Amino acid sequence: MSPSPFRLDGKTVLISGAGGGIGQSLVAAFRAAGASVVGADRDAAMLKDRELSAQLLFDQADAKATRAAVMDYLATHGAPDAVISNAGFTRAEHLDQLDDDVWAAELAINLNGAYAMTDPIVSAMAARGSGSLVFISSVNALGHYGNPAYSAAKAGLIAYARAIAVERGGQGVRANVICPGSVRTPAWDHRLEADPTLLDNVLPHYPLGRMVLPVEVANAAVFYSSAAASGITGTVLPVDAGLTAGNLRFVDEVLRGK
């Protein structure tokens, strides 16, 4: 019996932002698929009890430090089989909260840092002749749902992934993008504590009637990284409970009269 193409036994996967809400589910999902997981984050305490094969510490907001840490890892261990570029951050929810410093800070971690982390790995994968990258972007890259600087950075990840897919595909490197909608991670806890009715305004926008679970994002990343997706590169997959499929609230309020 041939092994399942969805398995990752014997493969090594590097996951950035491994200590966060989605990161924890990514680590668990890749471990369940048989992979050895290298977890990267800015603080070792964030990676405690993650059952990792190795840790990589850097602050992705600092591109030079990020690239240096990755280069040191590659010199010792070589390129991982797959990379999940997951680290990200936003605080400016609308244009009135933006200025030059906020714009620069959000692009630094969400786009520039992601490039600094993955660029040397892409080169190492291309030299080896194989590798897969998955970028965790956002529905904000596909339409405007707030967070303008974050959105611009996450849209940039799509362009960057497509560049890798086109220019490094001949060397066996694949790159794909996942665009989650609102994901129910602990990051929502403080907002729900401040306003327990918040989801009453959020959920009517989602055709599935709920937020996305971190494990659903993680399962998509496992698929993209596996041999089951060997012919897939340069694509964008919304994992968004149907948000980008259309405007449910418009249908309900305008057409159904709810």
Side-chain angles (χ1 to χ4, degrees):
M1 184 176 178
S2 60
S4 168
F6 297 93
R7 295 288 303 174
L8 291 163
D9 301 284
K11 303 296 185 181
T12 299
V13 180
L14 170 62
I15 300 172
S16 70
I22 295 176
Q24 294 178 40
S25 288
L26 285 166
V27 171
F30 276 94
R31 282 182 48 80
S36 296
V37 177
V38 179
D41 220 309
R42 65 180 184 273
D43 186 346
M46 301 178 72
L47 301 175
K48 186 178 179 182
D49 301 324
R50 291 291 179 269
E51 298 186 78
L52 303 169
S53 62
Q55 296 183 6
L56 192 54
L57 300 179
F58 54 81
D59 182 349
Q60 195 167 288
D62 184 337
K64 289 185 178 180
T66 295
R67 183 179 290 268
V70 170
M71 292 291 287
D72 285 346
Y73 174 84
L74 293 174
T76 304
H77 303 283
D81 296 288
V83 172
I84 315 302
S85 178
N86 169 63
F89 175 83
T90 182
R91 276 294 179 267
E93 295 187 339
H94 51 78
L95 286 172
D96 294 336
Q97 296 173 322
L98 274 183
D99 58 31
D100 288 345
D101 291 339
V102 171
W103 180 273
E106 295 211 5
L107 262 68
I109 185 170
N110 294 302
L111 181 59
N112 301 342
Y115 168 73
M117 182 193 76
T118 55
D119 176 58
I121 298 174
V122 170
S123 296
M125 286 177 169
R128 182 182 60 201
S130 66
S132 171
L133 298 102
V134 180
F135 294 89
I136 307 300
S137 179
S138 169
V139 292
N140 294 63
L142 306 176
H144 189 62
Y145 303 96
N147 305 94
Y150 174 84
S151 301
K154 291 297 191 178
L157 288 180
I158 294 177
Y160 174 46
R162 286 174 172 160
I164 296 169
V166 172
E167 296 193 27
R168 297 291 180 262
Q171 294 159 289
V173 181
R174 296 187 298 113
N176 292 287
V177 181
I178 295 171
C179 288
S182 298
V183 182
R184 184 60 181 97
T185 68
W188 280 81
D189 291 349
H190 73 283
R191 300 183 68 179
L192 292 173
E193 288 172 5
D195 181 5
T197 68
L198 179 61
L199 292 186
D200 294 340
N201 295 324
V202 173
L203 298 185
H205 295 278
Y206 286 88
L208 290 185
R210 63 173 177 82
M211 298 171 75
V212 172
L213 301 176
V215 68
E216 294 173 316
V217 178
N219 287 342
V222 170
F223 165 69
Y224 264 146
S225 302
S226 73
S230 59
I232 301 174
T233 193
T235 69
V236 178
L237 176 63
V239 180
D240 65 355
L243 179 67
T244 57
N247 192 331
L248 175 63
R249 194 158 190 165
F250 181 91
V251 173
D252 282 343
E253 295 180 0
V254 177
L255 304 180
R256 290 175 174 165
K258 287 187 178 181

